[in-house]
Amino acid sequence: MQYFFNTWGSLEKKLLRARHILLCADFDGTITPIKPRPKEAKLGEGIRLLLRKISKRRPFIVGIISGRALKDIEEKVGVKGLIFAGNHGLEIAYKKKNFIYPAAKRYVPLISQIARSLKKRLAPFSGAILEEKNLSLSLHYRLVKREKLPRLKEIFFRIIRPYLAAQKIKLTYGKKVWEVRPPIEWDKGRAVLWLTQRLGPGRAFTIYIGDDATDEDAFRAVNKIGGISIRVGRKRGSSARYYLRNTKDAQRFFRRIGSLKK
Ligand SMILES: [Mg+2]
């Protein structure tokens, strides 16, 4: 992994030659710091203005790809004209067109059934936050007392194990969060490839910036098509080619991008 700003010079030239640049970013932990409760995350005005500015400039198309529900991520970002992908790309909105990955819809009742079972058992765990996102759910345990964690884990896995065994769901891990998702071959990486292809074969240069386990799919995907993968936070074993130190550094990245001169 190389520090992004050490190679900025050569990347800058590449960017200036591109016809379209699809600039995709994750939300939590990438363009905004992770907050104890997901509801508390708030996009800074500085980065919001930068996203707006960049999205209005050719050759940029800006996408926000999050594990949050689509509606939630649209509201949190609050900038028109961007591509928004929620639920790790299972639902995508761009220019008033909404796309839901067709096979995902039929998992909605199952996900809500699992959410109900979990809710009944979560009462003794203050700080456990269940985020229902329609096509998936997240159980955040950042605020759960350490001594209660093993018990929470036990209960969580007891509830989801039968569904996992029957391959009715899949489970992914993020930063202090477990996510129950449809067992579909679709993730942030596939969503980013799909978006890139929609801009025309071989025409778009793609950049992806993220910070967590589910972003690894997107890092691998953009590496494969010769794009730029950037992780916020250096980490051994990550597929990202570059890293930025933290969300502040990520903001500096967007500032640089915003001031690229043709
Ligand atoms: Mg993140």
Side-chain angles (χ1 to χ4, degrees):
M1 257 183 148
Q2 287 186 65
Y3 182 51
F4 178 80
F5 286 113
N6 288 347
T7 49
W8 172 250
S10 61
L11 291 176
E12 194 176 14
K13 279 181 215 124
K14 241 187 206 175
L15 294 181
L16 290 173
R17 281 199 304 264
R19 188 153 178 186
H20 298 290
I21 300 171
L22 177 63
L23 174 56
C24 293
D26 165 55
F27 184 74
D28 297 271
T30 299
I31 57 170
T32 189
I34 292 177
K35 283 287 154 77
R37 293 176 183 80
K39 268 188 194 162
E40 291 166 354
K42 208 173 157 245
L43 191 67
E45 218 30 61
I47 184 83
R48 179 173 289 120
L49 290 173
L50 279 168
L51 293 175
R52 184 173 293 140
K53 177 180 166 187
I54 296 166
S55 71
K56 282 184 177 159
R57 283 187 51 184
R58 294 191 60 181
F60 289 100
I61 298 154
V62 178
I64 306 295
I65 322 275
S66 172
R68 289 177 182 261
L70 176 62
K71 198 165 167 276
D72 184 19
I73 193 63
E74 282 179 316
E75 282 169 12
K76 286 267 181 217
V77 175
V79 178
K80 287 196 183 111
L82 308 191
I83 299 171
F84 288 100
N87 270 300
H88 306 281
L90 286 177
E91 36 179 6
I92 296 176
Y94 184 45
K95 290 187 174 166
K96 291 184 179 159
K97 279 193 199 125
N98 275 26
F99 164 88
I100 291 189
Y101 192 79
K105 282 181 213 159
R106 65 190 162 96
Y107 290 92
V108 171
L110 181 69
I111 299 282
S112 87
Q113 182 191 326
I114 296 171
R116 279 197 303 276
S117 317
L118 283 170
K119 251 193 241 163
K120 274 187 218 153
R121 307 297 307 274
L122 287 181
F125 300 94
S126 72
I129 300 167
L130 183 67
E131 190 189 355
E132 293 188 65
K133 303 179 294 186
N134 206 27
L135 299 171
S136 74
L137 68 83
S138 298
L139 183 60
H140 301 266
Y141 56 86
R142 184 177 305 271
L143 295 173
V144 175
K145 285 212 180 76
R146 193 181 258 200
E147 62 268 23
K148 291 220 169 182
L149 257 182
R151 181 76 186 125
L152 176 65
K153 194 172 177 183
E154 197 187 314
I155 289 171
F156 175 74
F157 279 89
R158 194 191 302 150
I159 289 170
I160 67 158
R161 195 169 293 124
Y163 302 103
L164 271 179
Q167 294 178 339
K168 287 182 172 167
I169 55 166
K170 74 176 172 189
L171 175 69
T172 53
Y173 303 84
K175 292 177 175 170
K176 310 281 183 198
V177 61
W178 296 309
E179 287 188 287
V180 173
R181 293 159 60 180
I184 292 173
E185 295 281 302
W186 191 258
D187 50 42
K188 286 182 170 184
R190 285 172 170 96
V192 169
L193 289 182
W194 185 78
L195 288 168
T196 305
Q197 277 154 10
R198 294 205 56 169
L199 296 173
R203 291 177 68 193
F205 186 77
T206 303
I207 303 173
Y208 186 88
I209 164 167
D211 74 306
D212 208 348
T214 60
D215 297 307
E216 294 292 332
D217 297 314
F219 297 150
R220 283 189 289 272
V222 301
N223 291 345
K224 237 185 273 169
I225 55 170
I228 298 178
S229 52
I230 309 169
R231 189 177 192 277
V232 176
R234 188 177 195 171
K235 195 181 181 218
R236 196 174 296 181
S238 170
S239 297
R241 298 258 159 88
Y242 304 96
Y243 74 92
L244 291 162
R245 294 194 177 100
N246 47 38
T247 53
K248 261 214 168 110
D249 217 16
Q251 186 159 347
R252 189 174 150 221
F253 161 84
F254 283 99
R255 259 202 311 277
R256 281 286 181 88
I257 294 278
S259 56
L260 265 182
K261 294 238 159 40
K262 278 248 167 186

